[in-house]
Amino acid sequence: MTTRLACHICQNKKLHKFLSLGPIPLANSFLQQDQLSVSEPYYPLDVCYCSNCGLVQLAQVIAPEILFKNYAYLTGTSEPMKAHFAGLAEDIIKKFSPPSGALVIDIGSNDGTLLQNFQRYNMRVLGIEPATNVAKLASLRGTETLNDFFNESLAHKICSEKGQPRIILATNVLAHVADLESLLRGVNRLLASDGVFVIEVPYLVDMLSKVEFDTIYHEHLRYFAVRPLVTLFSKFDMGIADVEHISVHGGSLRVYVQKFIHSLPSSVTELLDLETEAKIDSLETYQKFAEDISRIKEELLSLLKALKNQGAKIAGYGAPAKGNILLNYCQIGMDILDYVTDTTPFKQGRYTPGMHIPVFPESHFHEFPPDYALLLAWNYADEILREEERYRQAGGRFIVPIPRPQIV
Ligand code: TYD
């Protein structure tokens, strides 16, 4: 682990630390039974604000090889994400009409779920995925995938072997990459001059307004708003051609970046106005966010303990990385939750990091329905509440932890 002393974008050395969620284990480090007796590594999790460029960022950086060489998360196991990526591919095709056979590159391509949509449009695709287990799965499914970290030198190699792509994608990647500058130099080197770099990142304004504090974990080094993104891309002679505020992952930005763009389109200035209104350039906003987080912990624990005292059975619904932050930060263990359930095969049969709660497939939830389900995967609330209509009809209740713990 290294500690960053300067801003990831503007190198300002005066960062304001406003929140500590650690020490805490890595959010995706699910354990096998024989690992439960061995002590797990805990790391600090400190969050800072740069008053110069506006970037919210972690103070600590864990080595990417530790975080991403073997990865628990598979895009294809989330039906809502499959639908989301099908929509993204369709939007890009409509907006840019790339010719069939054009090259599409996905940085952090996971199991190839997003690229498979472009394959259906007869485009050439290449995934770049550092997690060996996940890259292998994508290749087996017929999506050409390089098992590597994307950086400037890999960009040179791809360019000479495959040519320049019309489309480069990076969904939920810009927050994860330790060497952001090398990534962007690589994108600039690789992208065709009339190409587009499409990114999606969770939106800081949503994180603050909905108190989505559990999306803060070691994999997410940065929490973006439009203002720091404008500064970032301009450093690499690129600019935002268009931006959309979308609902995925609790509220995200989809940003279309192109070379040689130097003016701000109205979609950018509208969001810059929203950011001013949300006071994201005031340190007080971050101090209030930290207070809101403590309040959620207090209220959630008192709600869960009261239900437990009444003899209720409670389980966790979903075992996302964010759920592990919530459970560890609030210290919710097996004295409260009987188990958690998750659709990801890798997580099933394992135990959650830190709190050591067993993870079962969804079938366990239907076999042993609890009185209350703590919705850890709150970003899929609509889909999950719809899916579990029968459980709810039978009297089962969901507890949604943010922005204020609530029984629904
Ligand atoms: P997600 O919120 O996408 O990511 P993160 O790990 O970054 O916080 O993860 C959602 C998790 O919830 C994932 O492990 C799959 C699981 N899940 C279910 O168990 N059931 C469901 O119906 C859905 C939609 C997801």
Side-chain angles (χ1 to χ4, degrees):
M1 186 193 82
T2 52
T3 301
R4 292 283 306 222
L5 299 173
C7 173
H8 299 191
I9 290 183
C10 72
Q11 313 309 328
N12 170 23
K13 292 212 168 82
K14 269 206 193 133
L15 300 177
H16 304 278
K17 180 170 121 182
F18 62 89
L19 179 66
S20 281
L21 293 174
I24 203 159
L26 300 178
N28 265 318
S29 57
F30 288 85
L31 303 167
Q32 286 174 317
Q33 193 167 29
D34 60 1
Q35 294 173 303
L36 292 178
S37 53
V38 184
S39 76
E40 317 161 61
Y42 276 64
Y43 300 91
L45 185 55
D46 297 336
V47 196
C48 305
Y49 166 67
C50 172
S51 52
N52 183 44
C53 73
L55 183 69
V56 172
Q57 53 201 288
L58 293 192
Q60 291 85 20
V61 179
I62 308 286
E65 290 73 18
I66 295 179
L67 292 176
F68 302 118
K69 258 319 202 186
N70 192 36
Y71 205 45
Y73 180 82
L74 289 182
T75 311
T77 57
S78 273
E79 286 304 323
M81 284 316 287
K82 275 165 68 177
H84 171 72
F85 283 138
L88 170 58
E90 210 175 292
D91 287 353
I92 290 174
I93 303 270
K94 259 196 220 140
K95 227 170 145 85
F96 299 96
S97 322
S100 92
L103 180 62
V104 182
I105 288 186
D106 188 13
I107 302 173
S109 53
N110 199 271
D111 57 7
T113 297
L114 173 55
L115 283 179
Q116 280 151 19
N117 293 291
F118 289 94
Q119 287 175 280
R120 271 179 226 123
Y121 288 101
N122 296 321
M123 309 198 58
R124 283 188 301 139
V125 303
L126 178 66
I128 320 289
E129 173 51 54
T132 307
N133 61 324
V134 181
K136 220 181 251 174
L137 186 67
S139 298
L140 277 174
R141 289 183 183 166
T143 302
E144 186 178 345
T145 303
L146 276 182
N147 179 209
D148 212 339
F149 287 95
F150 182 86
N151 55 27
E152 195 181 5
S153 80
L154 188 67
H156 277 272
K157 189 164 168 262
I158 295 171
C159 205
S160 59
E161 288 173 10
K162 302 259 178 199
Q164 292 186 289
R166 289 288 288 268
I167 297 162
I168 301 181
L169 308 157
T171 54
N172 291 303
V173 167
L174 248 59
H176 297 65
V177 170
D179 191 345
L180 192 56
E181 303 222 335
S182 175
L183 177 130
L184 287 167
R185 277 195 304 271
V187 167
N188 196 12
R189 168 73 190 82
L190 192 55
L191 189 65
S193 55
D194 58 350
V196 61
F197 175 42
V198 185
I199 65 157
E200 287 186 358
V201 286
Y203 193 21
L204 178 70
V205 171
D206 290 302
M207 179 176 95
L208 296 173
S209 68
K210 298 178 222 164
V211 204
E212 296 165 345
F213 74 96
D214 48 358
T215 61
I216 297 173
Y217 46 88
H218 298 96
E219 291 175 25
H220 297 163
L221 297 168
R222 314 167 187 100
Y223 303 85
F224 288 105
V226 174
R227 182 160 79 91
L229 283 174
V230 169
T231 308
L232 176 66
F233 295 125
S234 69
K235 280 177 70 175
F236 298 90
D237 203 17
M238 296 189 282
I240 300 178
D242 198 8
V243 59
E244 292 162 14
H245 187 183
I246 56 175
S247 63
V248 73
H249 289 311
S252 295
L253 295 172
R254 177 181 293 169
V255 192
Y256 298 92
V257 182
Q258 294 190 289
K259 288 180 173 175
F260 320 118
I261 289 208
H262 302 292
S263 58
L264 302 178
S266 61
S267 56
V268 167
T269 52
E270 278 161 23
L271 285 177
L272 289 175
D273 289 347
L274 177 81
E275 291 173 9
T276 307
E277 221 171 275
K279 297 197 172 75
I280 64 162
D281 48 5
S282 154
L283 193 53
E284 276 169 30
T285 301
Y286 298 96
Q287 285 155 349
K288 179 176 175 301
F289 177 60
E291 285 162 18
D292 287 345
I293 296 169
S294 308
R295 176 184 48 75
I296 288 180
K297 176 178 180 171
E298 246 170 64
E299 289 185 9
L300 184 59
L301 276 176
S302 78
L303 171 66
L304 293 171
K305 284 181 181 162
L307 293 172
K308 221 42 209 171
N309 286 340
Q310 293 162 17
K313 277 191 172 309
I314 314 174
Y317 199 103
K322 62 173 77 63
N324 289 328
I325 296 301
L326 184 125
L327 296 178
N328 279 284
Y329 172 72
C330 298
Q331 286 293 292
I332 298 169
M334 284 202 68
D335 51 333
I336 295 177
L337 299 184
D338 293 354
Y339 63 87
V340 298
T341 174
D342 197 279
T343 50
T344 314
F346 178 87
K347 298 179 185 179
Q348 296 163 0
R350 286 182 156 80
Y351 294 80
T352 64
M355 301 319 292
H356 297 184
I357 302 173
V359 186
F360 287 100
E362 300 141 287
S363 54
H364 192 84
F365 183 79
H366 299 125
E367 225 172 302
F368 303 98
D371 302 303
Y372 293 88
L374 176 60
L375 188 57
L376 297 170
W378 49 255
N379 45 325
Y380 298 121
D382 291 348
E383 294 87 347
I384 289 172
L385 293 189
R386 216 179 306 127
E387 186 77 14
E388 298 298 349
E389 187 55 35
R390 229 201 253 164
Y391 163 71
R392 300 173 70 203
Q393 292 279 342
R397 291 283 170 266
F398 277 94
I399 301 168
V400 182
I402 60 148
R404 263 206 121 108
Q406 210 188 344
I407 297 175
V408 295

